[in-house]
Amino acid sequence: MSVPGGLFRFAGRNAAKVEIDARRGGLGVLLAFLAPALIVYAGFTIYPVLRTFYNAFHAIKPQGAVEFVGLDNFAALLFSDPVFWTAVSNTALFTFVATIVDVVGGLLLALCLFARAPLAPLLRVVWFTPVLMSYVVVGIMGVDL
């Protein structure tokens, strides 16, 4: 008995043991599968990064007029723009305060969840129920499929 197309080396009872090795595909197969993802990646990631660097060194005026200004944009930003320094100080303050609040809040929550306080079991249920509900919902959806 022969198998059309020569897909299996052996026909008959040993035919189920023969496997096709996907790693033996050539460079063309690799590029065929990677090209769409790489094009999308380049379009949505690499192009905006390159365009941002281009815009940083050019002054773009109305009606599409573009003028090369070099480092003048950066000099104006650092030395004559008070809004920039306000934004930098706000970001630094937010980063510092948010880190402290996160660590202290997490520590207090952990102490409340695992202490022998009177409401600790209720707090555990209230805190962990949303986490567990997502698995239950996914499980129910999987049964309906």
Side-chain angles (χ1 to χ4, degrees), residues 124-144:
R124 274 190 219 131
V125 169
V126 169
W127 185 258
F128 289 121
T129 298
V131 175
L132 298 175
M133 285 305 294
S134 62
Y135 295 113
V136 172
V137 169
V138 169
I140 291 172
M141 288 173 54
V143 169
D144 290 339

Side-chain angles (χ1 to χ4, degrees), residues 59-126:
I60 301 173
K61 301 184 188 235
Q63 285 85 30
V66 178
E67 176 188 348
F68 180 77
V69 293
L71 296 174
D72 290 344
N73 286 339
F74 296 100
L77 182 71
L78 292 174
F79 302 120
S80 64
D81 190 3
V83 176
F84 172 75
W85 290 110
T86 303
V88 168
S89 65
N90 288 343
T91 302
L93 179 67
F94 178 79
T95 302
F96 182 72
V97 171
T99 302
I100 291 175
V101 169
D102 245 4
V103 171
V104 171
L107 179 64
L108 290 175
L109 183 62
L111 288 173
C112 289
L113 285 175
F114 296 105
R116 299 200 187 269
L119 295 177
L122 176 67
L123 186 58
R124 274 190 219 131
V125 169
V126 169

Side-chain angles (χ1 to χ4, degrees), residues 7-8 17-24:
L7 184 60
F8 298 109
K17 293 182 182 179
V18 177
E19 295 179 12
I20 298 173
D21 191 3
R23 294 174 290 183
R24 293 186 189 212

